[in-house]
Amino acid sequence: MSEKICERHVARKAMLYIRQSTTQQVRHNEESRRLQYAMKTRLSSLGFREVEIVDEDLGKSAAGTVDRSGFRRLVSEVSLGNVGAVGAREVSRLARNSMDWQKLMEVCRYVDTLLVDHDAVYDVRQMNDRLLLGLKGNLNEYELELLRVRAQEARMEKVRRGEFHSRIAVGFRKGVGGQLEKDPDARVQQLISIVFAKVLELGSVRQVMLWMREHEMEMPISRGDRAETIWKRVRYTWLYDVLTNPTYAGYYVYGRTKTVTKLNDEGRVERRVVTKPRHEATVLLPDRHEGYIDRETFDRIQTMITRNNQARTGAGPGAARVGQALLAGLLRCRRCGQRLLVGYSGTTSRVSRYECSRNNADRGEPRCLSFSGLGVDERVVELVLQVVQPAAIEASKKLAEGETTARDDVVATIELEVKAARYAAERARRQYDAAEPENRLVVDELERRWNSALERVAAVEVRLDEARVAHEGRTVDARSFASLGVNVARVWHDPATDIRLKKRIIRALVEEIIADTTDAETLLVVHWKGGVHTELAVARRRRGQNRNQASTDLIEAVRQLIRVCDDDGVARALNASEIRTPKNNVWTRTLVRSFRGTHEIPAPSNSSQWVTLAAAAELADVAELTLKRAIARGVVRALRPVARGPWIISKEELLHPDVLQRITKKPRPRRDTPAAPNSEQLSLIIPRL
């Protein structure tokens, strides 16, 4: 027994700390673990009656990179004065970083706790032992760092040659010479190719995800170098990782991420992985293997994704969304340089309004400018259609070809999925046939798997039949697309045209628009891609003015109808004449009353100044047909504001004696020249035979 061990030490318990750095060491280095557990015998021989084993940190490194619950519990027990000695096979098992090591030594020094390894007992209160333990702690940390540096240098040599692959991207396999090659699975290759093609077509990662989910496409996931590929429902994160990984453009890339470390409020280490820009990667070697796309296409996709991401950079207009504001993200304030925000108002039809209010929201400063988006959008659309019209026919042909190709890709993808499902079913059948019939525990499970595989085959075959029927039933006619290309404006203004498609067309042509306002006009400078600029001046809308403003003819028609009809009668007359409200709704009594109030049309009165055709015929004591003929001859003046509405006749003019006399007076018979004898006139007398 060492002279450093006193009665006050053995009166307390001893704690034996056991640790191995990795799970691989736990599985394979069994002898090292046995030697550590054997330290319990040494502590008992030193006089400690109670020895507690702390082994919950097996498989955890002591370099300070992970949280060790066992070590924290050990330090807590020591600080409470409950531990007389802390044992370990080697003191390096306790800690391989200065922070944990010094913390343990200081706690042991204050509470008089010994440290014990396989060949010595250390009293931290003694100067020589404290010096020796300090040197051992530094050596332990240095040894670990030396091993790390050697491994890192060896790894970097392979990285510089492009031969080290810590994680292989889905769609690739490691070849015999260490170089990457495409996955031999045709289904995986086709799906990844479709992903890159669709993102260029749709212009957004999210739109690609929605399109794939609409067609029930799955994403491949490969775990490890030679692991079997599994298929799952597509996710946005998977698509984003594929579309931003330079490996698919033939690059060998290493060091795309970095770890940011900080201490939280509780003193624990928190780590966050941050993706670095491609040009900041540790090693970036182009043309190292065959890629799915070329480098120029990959750069286009990265630029598009960056411009779509407003949350991080704000460098572009952002992805096209479903809002009605066509110029969202393209407008910039001429006064402060900030991008204009979009606000919507209204219930049935959302009215857009552009405003520069960032400084107001951030610093409480006045808004720079604000204007309605109705007239501005219309003027910019006119310019865009003028630019698009000359190339519309050629674009329509390419659209027809692209539409056919897209449908073919969907059918081909499902066909490959059918082949994969049939292979899985055949494999399940072979496993079922190879099992012994008597082993029911195994046979029942294999039978269940076989049945599930057959159900999967049936479901995918149904999807394939539906896709083929849809493909055949929606054959694209290039001539029909060409006819639409002649009249681009009609296609643009069609309600069925997707608003996001319109926005993508505008953004393909316009870089940005500088906006300013005066009291009467909104001033725009359109910067086209290519360096051309166009200046516009759009008259500002006044309060109460909107695109659904009623025409003068409609206002006058209602003003005349209200002379002889109530609000219900006006609504019936307008609806019968197929005239709709300015917002394309059917007229009702409430809408007529509101329309009159808006345009200051007086309410219907009981005055007998104006009468309808029926009332006028009764006053004149003639038939309605007779009165209509008089109106046609111009004897009676009458108004008919709408095609199927009532006639409006002035009662005073109708009852004038001269008018009444002319209404009832029959028209004089027509005096034609009588027929004269003609020598060439043939006789109608039939001669007798």
Side-chain angles (χ1 to χ4, degrees):
M1 182 173 178
S2 174
E3 65 277 4
K4 299 177 183 178
I5 302 176
C6 304
E7 186 62 30
R8 64 179 181 276
H9 296 135
V10 298
R12 294 176 283 175
K13 66 179 180 180
M15 297 188 73
L16 175 60
Y17 185 75
I18 297 173
R19 183 191 61 81
Q20 287 180 292
S21 298
T22 62
T23 54
Q24 184 177 4
Q25 292 179 359
V26 175
R27 292 194 186 111
H28 303 291
N29 297 356
E30 298 182 359
E31 189 63 31
S32 173
R33 191 166 60 258
R34 291 194 189 99
L35 290 174
Q36 292 188 62
Y37 278 105
M39 276 293 297
K40 181 178 181 181
T41 304
R42 171 168 169 75
L43 291 173
S44 299
S45 65
L46 292 176
F48 293 95
R49 293 179 290 274
E50 180 184 358
V51 179
E52 180 180 349
I53 297 178
V54 181
D55 57 0
E56 53 259 46
D57 290 343
L58 284 171
K60 295 181 180 180
S61 172
T65 56
V66 295
D67 179 45
R68 293 185 293 160
S69 59
F71 183 79
R72 285 192 288 106
R73 183 166 67 88
L74 172 66
V75 174
S76 299
E77 289 290 328
V78 173
S79 62
L80 293 175
N82 300 329
V83 182
V86 175
R89 174 71 183 178
E90 303 93 8
V91 290
S92 61
R93 301 286 179 182
L94 294 169
R96 281 186 177 269
N97 64 90
S98 298
M99 184 177 64
D100 291 345
W101 181 252
Q102 295 298 332
K103 180 191 299 183
L104 177 62
M105 286 184 60
E106 289 300 318
V107 172
C108 291
R109 178 183 178 185
Y110 282 117
V111 298
D112 190 15
T113 299
L114 304 176
L115 294 177
V116 181
D117 60 10
H118 68 286
D119 59 358
V121 177
Y122 306 95
D123 186 356
V124 188
R125 292 189 171 187
Q126 295 183 11
M127 181 178 60
N128 291 333
D129 287 355
R130 189 165 64 252
L131 176 61
L132 181 58
L133 287 173
L135 290 175
K136 283 194 172 184
N138 292 334
L139 289 175
N140 292 336
E141 188 174 11
Y142 175 76
E143 179 185 10
L144 186 63
E145 186 66 22
L146 182 62
L147 294 175
R148 184 185 297 112
V149 169
R150 289 177 179 175
Q152 184 67 18
E153 289 178 352
R155 176 185 298 177
M156 288 305 300
E157 285 299 320
K158 295 187 67 176
V159 167
R160 295 185 186 97
R161 297 195 302 267
E163 299 176 359
F164 178 78
H165 303 282
S166 60
R167 179 185 175 187
I168 299 178
V170 61
F172 290 97
R173 288 286 187 271
K174 186 186 292 186
V176 178
Q179 299 293 332
L180 292 183
E181 58 185 24
K182 285 186 176 181
D183 194 317
D185 191 338
R187 183 184 174 191
V188 175
Q189 290 189 24
Q190 185 181 38
L191 185 92
I192 294 177
S193 300
I194 289 176
V195 167
F196 284 104
K198 294 305 291 186
V199 75
L200 291 173
E201 175 186 346
L202 301 178
S204 168
V205 181
R206 175 174 171 78
Q207 294 304 315
V208 176
M209 180 197 69
L210 296 177
W211 181 85
M212 294 181 67
R213 290 203 171 188
E214 178 185 355
H215 293 86
E216 299 182 9
M217 292 185 179
E218 296 178 328
M219 62 179 185
I221 297 177
S222 180
R223 296 177 178 174
D225 184 15
R226 302 184 182 276
E228 181 180 1
T229 301
I230 60 176
W231 295 82
K232 292 186 176 182
R233 187 182 176 116
V234 65
R235 296 196 310 268
Y236 178 89
T237 53
W238 181 88
L239 282 173
Y240 185 84
D241 291 341
V242 169
L243 293 171
T244 56
N245 193 340
T247 305
Y248 294 95
Y251 286 97
Y252 173 84
V253 58
Y254 177 82
R256 293 178 59 209
T257 60
K258 62 180 179 180
T259 303
V260 179
T261 306
K262 68 176 183 178
L263 292 176
N264 58 14
D265 297 337
E266 300 177 357
R268 298 184 182 180
V269 178
E270 290 184 353
R271 289 175 174 79
R272 183 168 57 93
V273 178
V274 179
T275 302
K276 298 186 293 186
R278 176 166 46 117
H279 63 276
E280 294 182 5
T282 305
V283 175
L284 186 66
L285 305 176
D287 301 328
R288 301 295 296 182
H289 55 268
E290 181 184 3
Y292 284 85
I293 55 175
D294 54 54
R295 294 162 58 182
E296 291 75 14
T297 304
F298 181 78
D299 292 338
R300 283 178 53 199
I301 294 175
Q302 304 317 301
T303 302
M304 178 189 64
I305 293 176
T306 302
R307 290 171 64 86
N308 288 346
N309 191 349
Q310 290 292 290
R312 293 186 179 179
T313 60
R321 295 181 173 86
V322 295
Q324 296 299 315
L326 293 174
L327 306 181
L330 292 174
L331 291 168
R332 187 181 294 277
C333 179
R334 185 178 181 180
R335 304 176 186 180
C336 67
Q338 297 283 351
R339 289 194 180 274
L340 269 60
L341 302 177
V342 182
Y344 292 97
S345 62
T347 54
T348 56
S349 61
R350 304 181 70 190
V351 180
S352 60
R353 189 169 187 84
Y354 301 107
E355 59 181 14
C356 181
S357 58
R358 296 182 186 272
N359 292 335
N360 177 269
D362 296 340
R363 297 185 288 272
E365 298 178 359
R367 290 180 173 85
C368 294
L369 51 88
S370 175
F371 55 89
S372 173
L374 299 179
V376 171
D377 287 356
E378 292 173 358
R379 290 295 304 276
V380 174
V381 167
E382 291 176 2
L383 289 178
V384 170
L385 293 180
Q386 292 176 6
V387 175
V388 172
Q389 183 72 45
I393 298 178
E394 184 64 26
S396 64
K397 294 179 181 179
K398 293 184 178 180
L399 178 61
E401 297 173 357
E403 184 72 10
T404 303
T405 303
R407 294 176 186 173
D408 291 340
D409 290 341
V410 173
V411 174
T413 301
I414 302 178
E415 288 176 349
L416 293 177
E417 190 175 350
V418 169
K419 292 181 180 180
R422 289 173 179 171
Y423 168 76
E426 179 63 22
R427 182 181 181 184
R429 183 193 65 78
R430 292 197 304 266
Q431 292 177 345
Y432 175 79
D433 293 341
E436 297 180 356
E438 296 80 6
N439 191 355
R440 299 306 306 173
L441 296 176
V442 175
V443 171
D444 291 345
E445 175 62 20
L446 294 177
E447 183 179 7
R448 185 192 65 78
R449 295 181 183 179
W450 187 15
N451 290 332
S452 299
L454 292 175
E455 292 175 358
R456 169 69 175 169
V457 171
V460 178
E461 287 178 345
V462 169
R463 283 180 50 211
L464 179 60
D465 294 338
E466 293 175 350
R468 286 174 175 171
V469 171
H471 188 299
E472 296 173 357
R474 297 170 58 189
T475 304
V476 178
D477 187 4
R479 291 177 297 179
S480 63
F481 273 87
S483 63
L484 294 177
V486 175
N487 192 355
V488 180
R490 181 164 62 88
V491 179
W492 182 282
H493 296 296
D494 192 305
T497 304
D498 190 357
I499 190 68
R500 292 169 296 187
L501 176 60
K502 298 179 183 179
K503 291 183 178 181
R504 289 200 295 270
I505 293 175
I506 294 176
R507 295 174 187 196
L509 301 173
V510 178
E511 185 68 31
E512 69 174 3
I513 302 174
I514 308 301
D516 198 357
T517 59
T518 63
D519 293 337
E521 293 178 328
T522 300
L523 306 177
L524 303 175
V525 179
V526 181
H527 294 266
W528 302 90
K529 292 190 175 179
V532 180
H533 311 293
T534 303
E535 295 185 2
L536 291 177
V538 182
R540 301 191 66 179
R541 294 177 179 268
R542 300 304 177 187
R543 184 176 297 275
Q545 202 176 4
N546 56 66
R547 63 167 54 174
N548 296 318
Q549 189 170 6
S551 64
T552 306
D553 294 340
L554 178 59
I555 297 173
E556 186 62 27
V558 174
R559 193 183 302 275
Q560 294 176 3
L561 287 172
I562 209 65
R563 296 173 177 176
V564 295
C565 301
D566 57 5
D567 291 336
D568 282 326
V570 174
R572 286 193 299 269
L574 294 174
N575 291 331
S577 303
E578 297 182 355
I579 299 175
R580 296 292 184 260
T581 68
K583 294 184 178 181
N584 200 29
N585 295 322
V586 177
W587 288 96
T588 63
R589 180 179 60 184
T590 304
L591 290 177
V592 173
R593 185 186 301 117
S594 175
F595 187 86
R596 289 193 298 101
T598 302
H599 299 283
E600 299 180 354
I601 300 175
S605 62
N606 297 326
S607 174
S608 57
Q609 180 182 358
W610 303 93
V611 293
T612 62
L613 181 67
E618 185 177 355
L619 289 173
D621 195 17
V622 295
E624 293 184 16
L625 182 59
T626 302
L627 188 57
K628 281 186 178 180
R629 290 173 178 173
I631 294 173
R633 297 198 310 268
V635 175
V636 179
R637 290 191 302 174
L639 300 175
R640 199 177 191 187
V642 293
R644 297 184 180 180
W647 290 92
I648 304 174
I649 303 172
S650 173
K651 183 178 178 181
E652 182 180 356
E653 292 185 10
L654 176 68
L655 297 180
H656 195 278
D658 294 340
V659 176
L660 288 175
Q661 184 179 3
R662 295 178 63 186
I663 292 174
T664 57
K665 186 177 181 180
K666 295 183 179 180
R668 299 169 63 182
R670 186 175 61 182
R671 295 181 179 180
D672 297 330
T673 303
N678 188 353
S679 60
E680 296 181 358
Q681 179 68 42
L682 299 177
S683 175
L684 294 176
I685 300 176
I686 301 175
R688 294 181 180 181
L689 299 177

